[in-house]
Every structure is written in C-alpha cells, then in structure tokens.
C-alpha cells in the first residue's frame, strides 16, 4: 500500500468515526506516544508491525488536525538511522513529515518495511466500527441507537464522496 492511499483511507475512516470533530491534535499526539509504548512492549513481530502502523495512523490524524492546515507529504527517499525516541520528539513538535520519515527509518533498521506496516495497520482498523463521543472512542457495541444512526449517516456520506 502506498502512503498516499493509506493517508486517504485513514482520513476517511477517521472522519466517519468523528475523530476530526471530537479529537484534537494534542490528543492524537498523545495517542501516537501511547502507540510507541505499545511498540516497546510488543512481544511478537506482528504486534510490532501493527504498532508502527498505528503510530502512523495517529501521525496522519494529528497532521489533519494541525491548525496550520499544511497537507501532509511523505516519501521514502533517503533512509537513514533513527531512534524511536526521535519519532516521539517530532510528534510532540508537530513536525509530522519528519516523524514519518524517522518512523520509516526506524522500521527499516528493525528489519521491517514501513509500507507493510501501514498496510497491516490499515487492515486491522478498516472494519472497526465506533465513534468519538465526548472526546472518547466508543466501540459500536456500546453506541446508542441514535449514535449508530449518526455513524451510518457519516459512513453513507463518505461513500457518496468516494463515488
């Protein structure tokens, strides 16, 4: 999966779930740091790959919520060495392009392909249903009937946009 497609998918997914309406850039930054922690405690290679992709999901969402409204760009040229703490520093600073580049560098240094990590994370979240309610993500099974209708309305509107 190419980054551009990953970013488009994540932004549509997040829009339907109300993340851009209910969350903040700072919350997504914190979520990215939480995902870094999950990477560090992961016990399997699959968990590590998924965590790298989840970090990227949070970076995409934080960039979308960034008040500067700069479009997030990313390419895979110029890999170098990176530490995971460097990724976190860039996230905190709001330098999302550098965060993604450092994440890709780190993944490579650990023997992982960043595009594979992105695809794995996307495949994990794409069918997950739920919404942001009062700043918290609520799973489908815990939504009220009215909230489920709102989710379906957003999902339908998103489908129309794709056509």
């Amino acid at each position: 999966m190419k980054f551009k497609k990953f970013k488009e998918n994540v932004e549509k997914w997040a829009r339907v779930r109300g993340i851009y309406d209910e969350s903040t850039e700072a919350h997504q930054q914190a979520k990215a740091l939480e995902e870094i922690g999950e990477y560090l405690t992961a016990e399997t290679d699959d968990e590590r790959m998924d965590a790298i992709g989840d970090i990227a999901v949070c970076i995409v969402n934080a960039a979308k919520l960034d008040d500067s409204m700069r479009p997030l760009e990313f390419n895979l040229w110029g890999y170098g060495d990176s530490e995971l703490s460097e990724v976190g520093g860039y996230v905190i600073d709001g330098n999302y392009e550098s965060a993604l580049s450092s994440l890709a560098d780190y993944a490579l240094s650990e023997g992982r392909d960043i595009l594979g990590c992105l695809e794995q994370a996307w495949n994990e979240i794409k069918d997950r249903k739920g919404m942001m309610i009062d700043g918290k993500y609520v799973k489908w099974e815990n939504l009220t009937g009215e909230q489920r209708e709102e989710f379906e309305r957003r999902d339908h509107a998103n489908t129309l946009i794709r056509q």
Side-chain angles (χ1 to χ4, degrees), residues 11-75:
E11 288 177 349
K12 289 174 186 174
W13 178 89
R15 187 178 311 108
V16 168
R17 283 145 186 85
I19 291 172
Y20 299 142
D21 295 332
E22 295 276 337
S23 192
T24 65
E25 180 183 5
H27 184 264
Q28 292 301 307
Q29 289 171 326
K31 185 69 178 157
L33 298 178
E34 180 183 319
E35 296 294 345
I36 289 172
E38 286 189 23
Y39 176 88
L40 295 171
T41 60
E43 295 182 6
T44 68
D45 198 49
D46 263 4
E47 289 174 344
R48 287 181 194 93
M49 284 186 69
D50 184 56
I52 288 171
D54 288 347
I55 295 164
V57 168
C58 297
I59 291 170
V60 167
N61 287 334
K64 181 74 173 175
L65 290 162
D66 182 357
D67 288 337
S68 73
M69 302 299 281
R70 289 180 297 124
L72 180 64
E73 299 294 334
F74 174 66
N75 64 55

Side-chain angles (χ1 to χ4, degrees), residues 74-99:
F74 174 66
N75 64 55
L76 295 175
W77 303 326
Y79 277 115
D81 293 325
S82 178
E83 297 291 328
L84 205 49
S85 60
E86 187 176 273
V87 176
Y90 285 131
V91 167
I92 290 168
D93 290 343
N95 187 342
Y96 302 118
E97 288 88 357
S98 294

Side-chain angles (χ1 to χ4, degrees), residues 94-163:
N95 187 342
Y96 302 118
E97 288 88 357
S98 294
L100 285 169
S101 291
S102 290
L103 184 62
D105 289 346
Y106 183 77
L108 184 64
S109 74
E110 293 290 307
R112 293 175 184 81
D113 171 39
I114 188 69
L115 296 178
C117 294
L118 299 180
E119 186 166 358
Q120 182 171 331
W122 172 246
N123 287 333
E124 182 74 25
I125 69 168
K126 69 181 179 183
D127 297 321
R128 195 178 290 162
K129 285 189 170 186
M131 286 179 59
M132 295 290 290
I133 308 291
D134 297 327
K136 295 185 181 192
Y137 187 80
V138 179
K139 293 179 181 177
W140 177 261
E141 57 268 16
N142 298 323
L143 293 175
T144 66
E146 186 177 305
Q147 291 165 336
R148 287 181 181 192
E149 288 175 15
E150 174 64 15
F151 176 91
E152 296 295 344
R153 185 192 63 73
R154 288 180 185 199
D155 193 38
H156 178 71
N158 196 48
T159 301
L160 293 176
I161 291 169
R162 288 188 294 232
Q163 295 176 351

